[in-house]
């Protein structure tokens, strides 16, 4: 049995499992990721001394509502336990040294990596946002102002830009609340369109953490809470802070002849 588990682990590391056949994953050693408390994660994530550019700072493109609410939450960081999260151009800068599980890695000579929500460099044209996180309450507030490069219907932000912003806020919240790392599902119901250049406030709550998953919900609305733009629920993030055995993945080859050409995907039953 031990020998078989070892063989399965080796095959998974090389993406060599039989197509369509669930395999049992070995336990994930928490030290291979970051087996740390919320405070330690926040401390590691929010670098105090760095030469990296923080994109979550006010600039000339921010609308009055966004500037005002930003200042309000900045004051809450002094008295109410909120923390302003820095936003660098890549997650590599936030979680340096993190080793992904199951042998996931990409070899590349690319030097300029950018997270999707920081891919537009011109201020005010794409994603303008800042996230505040409350460690003890395990909740986040994201102030999001979509620029004209995110347009869908004329004059309004594309729904996909809001979905990406929700996912990004979920990911940061899940990582800091319970070392969540991978998105498993994201269910969104759009209610109203967001005018380009206006403020949308995303309120994220961690509902529970169990079965190696972080369950969260989000509501995106106007500052005065009179207009709801979208609601998101059922979002699950694989948590690395707990043991992951037994876990099941199924390899889907999508018509490829060789199983080695396909990457494993999460089994919905897990």
């Amino acid at each position: 049995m031990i020998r078989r588990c070892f063989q399965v682990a080796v095959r998974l590391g090389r993406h060599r499992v039989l197509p369509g056949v669930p395999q049992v994953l070995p336990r994930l050693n928490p030290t291979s990721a970051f087996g740390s408390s919320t405070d330690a994660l926040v401390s590691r994530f929010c670098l105090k001394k760095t030469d990296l550019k923080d994109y979550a700072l006010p600039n000339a493109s921010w609308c009055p509502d966004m500037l005002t609410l930003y200042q309000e939450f900045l004051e809450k960081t002094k008295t109410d336990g909120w923390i302003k999260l820095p936003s660098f151009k890549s997650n590599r800068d936030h979680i340096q040294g993190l080793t992904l599980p199951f042998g996931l890695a990409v070899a590349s000579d690319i030097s300029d990596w950018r997270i999707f929500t920081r891919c537009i460099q011109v201020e005010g044209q794409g994603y303008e946002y800042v996230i505040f996180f409350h460690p003890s309450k395990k909740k986040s507030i994201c102030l999001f102002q979509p620029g004209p490069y995110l347009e869908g219907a004329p004059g309004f932000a594309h729904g996909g830009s809001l979905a990406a912003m929700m996912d990004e806020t979920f990911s940061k919240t899940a990582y800091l609340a319970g070392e969540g790392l991978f998105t498993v599902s994201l269910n969104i119901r759009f209610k109203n369109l967001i005018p380009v250049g206006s403020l949308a406030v995303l309120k994220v709550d961690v509902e529970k953490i169990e079965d190696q998953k972080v369950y969260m919900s989000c509501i995106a609305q106007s500052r005065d809470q009179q207009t709801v733009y979208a609601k998101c629920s059922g979002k699950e993030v694989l948590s690395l802070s707990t043991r992951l055995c037994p876990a099941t993945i199924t390899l889907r080859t999508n018509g490829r002849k060789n199983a080695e050409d396909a990457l494993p995907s999460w089994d919905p039953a897990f």
Side-chain angles (χ1 to χ4, degrees):
M1 181 64 182
I2 295 176
R3 180 181 179 183
R4 174 165 177 74
C5 286
F6 178 77
Q7 291 174 338
V8 170
V10 172
R11 292 194 189 101
L12 285 171
R14 297 176 180 176
H15 307 303
R16 294 177 180 176
V17 294
L18 295 176
V21 180
Q23 301 288 341
V24 178
L25 296 178
R27 292 181 187 274
L28 175 64
N29 182 358
T31 59
S32 67
F34 289 140
S36 308
S37 66
T38 296
D39 289 341
L41 289 169
V42 170
S43 178
R44 184 181 292 115
F45 189 90
C46 302
L47 303 177
K48 293 183 178 180
K49 294 183 179 180
T50 178
D51 294 328
L52 298 169
K53 179 179 178 179
D54 184 359
Y55 290 86
L57 294 174
N59 60 59
S61 72
W62 283 22
C63 66
D65 278 346
M66 186 159 178
L67 284 170
T68 301
L69 208 52
Y70 172 82
Q71 291 299 330
E72 289 181 10
F73 272 93
L74 207 58
E75 287 299 316
K76 290 182 179 182
T77 63
K78 303 174 184 177
T79 60
D80 197 30
W82 287 89
I83 296 172
K84 176 198 165 294
L85 302 184
S87 181
F88 307 132
K89 70 176 184 178
S90 172
N91 277 329
R92 296 163 182 264
D93 299 323
H94 282 291
I95 47 179
Q96 297 178 20
L98 174 65
T99 301
L100 297 178
F102 320 134
L104 295 175
V106 175
S108 174
D109 57 359
I110 297 176
S111 59
D112 187 15
W113 299 90
R114 289 182 179 273
I115 189 171
F116 180 73
T117 51
R118 293 299 182 195
C119 65
I120 300 175
Q121 300 183 53
V122 182
E123 292 182 351
Q125 298 302 300
Y127 290 90
E128 291 293 340
Y129 68 93
V130 56
I131 299 173
F132 290 88
F133 175 69
H134 200 296
S136 62
K137 295 180 179 179
K138 296 189 185 303
K139 62 171 51 182
S140 292
I141 294 290
C142 174
L143 310 181
F144 169 45
Q145 177 184 305
Y149 288 4
L150 303 183
E151 186 183 67
F156 295 91
H158 193 288
S161 67
L162 177 56
M165 197 69 262
M166 284 180 156
D167 188 34
E168 172 63 7
T169 308
F170 272 151
S171 296
K172 294 296 187 289
T173 305
Y175 175 74
L176 294 174
E179 291 191 270
L181 192 62
F182 295 118
T183 300
V184 177
S185 66
L186 191 66
N187 303 309
I188 303 175
R189 301 195 67 165
F190 295 98
K191 302 289 186 179
N192 291 284
L193 298 176
I194 305 175
V196 166
S198 66
L199 172 66
V201 181
L202 281 59
K203 298 182 178 180
V204 171
D205 288 289
V206 173
E207 303 295 340
K208 60 181 178 178
I209 302 177
E210 65 178 26
D211 298 329
Q212 295 86 46
K213 298 174 186 176
V214 182
Y215 294 80
M216 292 178 289
S217 62
C218 174
I219 181 170
Q221 54 193 349
S222 59
R223 181 187 175 183
D224 60 10
Q225 302 182 21
Q226 296 303 304
T227 303
V228 175
Y229 298 122
K231 291 183 177 181
C232 187
S233 62
K235 199 279 187 174
E236 306 166 5
V237 178
L238 180 65
S239 175
L240 299 182
S241 60
T242 55
R243 296 181 178 181
L244 302 182
C245 184
T248 304
I249 66 170
T250 301
L251 183 69
R252 297 175 175 84
T253 59
N254 296 325
R256 295 180 178 86
K257 294 182 179 180
N258 298 319
E260 291 183 34
D261 296 332
L263 294 176
S265 59
W266 306 117
D267 190 323
F270 172 52

